[in-house]
Amino acid sequence: MMFRLAASATRSTGVRTFATRRKTKNTLPKEVMDALPFHEDDEEESEKPKSPPDPSEFVRNPVTAAYTVDVQNQQLSTLDSAALSPNGTVVHGRYGEIPQASAIPLEYLALLRPAAEGAAALRVLLKSAKAPHGTLLVFGASQPNGMSISQLASSAGHAVVAVVDSAHSGNRDFMESLTGMIREPGTALPQEFALSKKNFAELVRGISSGDEGIPKADPAVFLEDFKQNLMDYAVAYPDTRPAAVSEEHMEFNYMEKDREYWQQNMEAYLSQFPQGSPPMDAAKLDAFFSTEQYQAFHEMFLKQTSGIISGDDTPFSPPHIVQSMCQSPVTLDHKTYPGAGPFVPYSFSVLQQTFPEGTDVKPGGPVIGAAIAVTPMLQKVTEVVNKEKSIRAKAEALQFLTSTERACFLSAASVAAQARAAGAPVVVMGGSLPDLETAEVTDADVQEALAAMDIDEEGNSRLNYFCQVYRAGDFPFYGDYAVHRATETLPGPRQIIVTK
């Protein structure tokens, strides 16, 4: 998914501040005319029709190289870059010549290092995994290496819980896009959710086990709610009134001259409301209206609803039907009621709750580990906290940080804690953190990243990024502007790439 900044050429137009002179023959000496700020010949020249601009002046230069932005040094990176060699092959600034990169855009190849870091972290975690498939936790999922491991793990069949750090957690469009890149039962969520350790732990447990923690409803509970609602309805809208409306509708609070036609108008007005409810006996409801009777009533209600949709709006008074069923119970066919036979979409069964085939929640598997992307903010906060020795001093150091910095540190710690609680390892990508293993990139990881970036015949790839490309080959100042955009506070969830 590519976001390109459209470039437009602007032309400045000079404005003449002198009034147009009458075209008269010049009688001044030549040395005087030469000293004037304008000449008659210049004016005559400007009035001549101009030829259209040469189209070749606006042809874009071919792209032969792509660079990421070195945010720390505030310049274009020579290591994280990809360029075409004279013989047509791609040469990466860090990994050298890449013969198999012909089907991969240069913009993506400039991101090969973070892509390989994600592949390395996944490799390290799977090495010690106790199950072929499991649940993977990721912090910093909007970073290029975090996006890499999230997509690679998801495409390999693992459930991914991707936590987006503070720089991009408030971007709703990005959160939805990232969630769409992760297969169910995995999901993406902002770091603020991980701060609530109990809720985060329950989410991870639900995804890994497949248990959403929603108990099946008891038919007796449905029945009690229905009876209570029916009794309340009978009191609020008795059939002693012309329609099921409140008493205030029946009061005449208008001018006396309107009384003559008020009753006639009220009859037409009340005709749009249903009939009120007869008196309900709670003892009879408990004795004769069972869960089976409630299921039979529900079938009648379902048929009435279908009739209204199809245009057959026949009279239907639920309270009177319930009263009739209490006097003469209906026999329920246990072979045909909804829930007993084939599933009927969008239907509800009182006695048995069923779901369409294939909609059952699949367990993600046990937690196999956590990968933490070292963001600039996380690196800064960790260094501040790690300088202190005691727990109290570390807590005090956190209090002197901003709320965003504290949230970044604590949410990353929450992700790591969930992995440790499951006895799974924690690895670091794109830097180092105290007491944590850093996943070192190997040649195999680079090859895996290239294979994931490769675009198949249908135009799909396992690894995708959000890129914003600045063509410095056409407008050189775009290079400096791209550095400015990449180093601004809380940049958008896209990777800045400069092409030349």
Side-chain angles (χ1 to χ4, degrees):
M1 189 173 184
M2 305 283 294
F3 298 96
R4 298 182 181 273
L5 182 64
S8 59
T10 58
R11 177 175 297 172
S12 60
T13 304
V15 180
R16 176 169 288 183
T17 57
F18 297 97
T20 303
R21 296 181 293 118
R22 296 174 59 187
K23 293 184 178 180
T24 56
K25 186 176 180 179
N26 176 38
T27 58
L28 297 176
K30 181 177 182 302
E31 58 272 13
V32 176
M33 288 295 301
D34 292 340
L36 294 176
F38 58 85
H39 302 285
E40 187 175 22
D41 294 341
D42 294 339
E43 183 177 339
E44 293 176 357
E45 181 68 21
S46 64
E47 294 176 354
K48 294 180 180 180
K50 297 181 179 179
S51 59
D54 186 359
S56 62
E57 296 179 1
F58 301 97
V59 174
R60 281 187 164 183
N61 297 322
V63 174
T64 58
Y67 304 82
T68 62
V69 177
D70 185 352
V71 178
Q72 184 175 2
N73 297 319
Q74 298 189 6
Q75 62 184 10
L76 298 185
S77 175
T78 56
L79 290 177
D80 292 322
S81 62
L84 295 176
S85 65
N87 58 4
T89 61
V90 178
V91 178
H92 194 274
R94 188 181 298 269
Y95 303 112
E97 186 173 340
I98 307 175
Q100 68 273 37
S102 58
I104 305 175
L106 287 177
E107 297 93 319
Y108 275 26
L109 290 175
L111 297 168
L112 183 56
R113 175 186 58 83
E117 290 175 352
L122 181 60
R123 171 182 54 81
V124 173
L125 293 176
L126 293 180
K127 184 184 298 183
S128 58
K130 300 178 181 179
H133 294 90
T135 302
L136 179 72
L137 312 180
V138 179
F139 174 80
S142 63
Q143 305 300 318
N145 47 19
M147 290 187 67
S148 171
I149 189 173
S150 298
Q151 295 180 69
L152 293 178
S154 182
S155 62
H158 303 285
V160 178
V161 180
V163 178
V164 178
D165 59 280
S166 58
H168 310 131
S169 62
N171 192 306
R172 180 178 300 178
D173 293 338
F174 173 75
M175 295 295 301
E176 294 179 355
S177 299
L178 183 59
T179 303
M181 295 178 178
I182 299 173
R183 298 180 181 179
E184 294 184 352
T187 186
L189 47 93
Q191 71 171 18
E192 289 75 15
F193 190 91
L195 291 177
S196 178
K197 294 184 178 181
K198 181 180 179 181
N199 292 340
F200 185 58
E202 291 179 353
L203 174 70
V204 174
R205 180 195 57 79
I207 291 178
S208 61
S209 64
D211 182 10
E212 295 181 312
I214 304 176
K216 287 189 176 180
D218 186 355
V221 175
F222 285 133
L223 180 60
E224 289 302 319
D225 287 345
F226 175 80
K227 290 179 180 179
Q228 185 61 50
N229 292 334
L230 181 61
M231 296 296 295
D232 294 341
Y233 182 86
V235 173
Y237 305 108
D239 59 358
T240 54
R241 300 174 193 165
V245 295
S246 60
E247 291 184 350
E248 62 184 16
H249 284 75
M250 313 303 299
E251 297 178 359
F252 182 79
N253 297 320
Y254 311 97
M255 299 180 67
E256 190 63 30
K257 66 182 182 64
D258 298 327
R259 185 181 293 276
E260 179 181 358
Y261 301 101
W262 181 77
Q263 186 64 36
Q264 181 179 354
N265 292 335
M266 281 298 295
E267 291 178 359
Y269 169 71
L270 294 176
S271 63
Q272 64 181 316
F273 294 98
Q275 184 181 1
S277 171
M280 288 293 169
D281 189 337
K284 288 185 177 180
L285 280 177
D286 293 337
F288 301 107
F289 199 77
S290 62
T291 54
E292 292 189 0
Q293 294 300 299
Y294 184 28
Q295 177 65 54
F297 169 82
H298 183 269
E299 292 185 42
M300 300 178 189
F301 191 85
L302 182 62
K303 292 179 181 178
Q304 172 66 12
T305 303
S306 301
I308 293 176
I309 295 175
S310 61
D312 184 15
D313 189 5
T314 57
F316 186 80
S317 176
H320 288 84
I321 292 177
V322 173
Q323 186 185 54
S324 175
M325 293 178 71
C326 289
Q327 297 172 354
S328 302
V330 177
T331 301
L332 178 67
D333 188 349
H334 284 268
K335 296 181 180 179
T336 60
Y337 77 87
F343 176 78
V344 179
Y346 307 109
S347 67
F348 170 77
S349 172
V350 177
L351 300 181
Q352 182 178 354
Q353 292 84 51
T354 57
F355 301 93
E357 184 179 353
T359 61
D360 296 337
V361 179
K362 297 180 180 179
V367 176
I368 60 177
I372 298 179
V374 183
T375 65
M377 182 178 295
L378 181 60
Q379 182 77 60
K380 171 188 173 183
V381 176
T382 304
E383 292 175 355
V384 171
V385 175
N386 194 51
K387 290 180 180 179
E388 307 298 336
K389 302 301 180 183
S390 65
I391 297 180
R392 178 176 179 177
K394 293 179 183 294
E396 291 176 349
L398 282 173
Q399 294 304 315
F400 285 100
L401 300 172
T402 64
S403 59
T404 304
E405 292 172 338
R406 286 197 302 272
C408 178
F409 179 83
L410 295 176
S411 56
S414 178
V415 171
Q418 288 301 313
R420 291 195 182 102
V426 180
V427 297
V428 174
M429 305 174 294
S432 61
L433 295 176
D435 303 325
L436 293 178
E437 177 186 1
T438 299
E440 300 295 341
V441 176
T442 64
D443 292 339
D445 300 324
V446 176
Q447 296 303 317
E448 169 62 13
L450 288 171
M453 287 181 173
D454 195 12
I455 302 176
D456 59 21
E457 295 179 354
E458 297 180 356
N460 301 320
S461 60
R462 289 187 290 140
L463 180 55
N464 299 278
Y465 283 113
F466 296 88
C467 296
Q468 186 168 7
V469 180
Y470 295 88
R471 296 178 61 102
D474 296 332
F475 302 94
F477 66 87
Y478 273 2
D480 295 335
Y481 183 63
V483 173
H484 162 71
R485 290 299 305 275
T487 56
E488 65 183 353
T489 305
L490 299 180
R494 72 282 188 269
Q495 318 306 322
I496 301 294
I497 305 295
V498 177
T499 60
K500 294 183 179 181

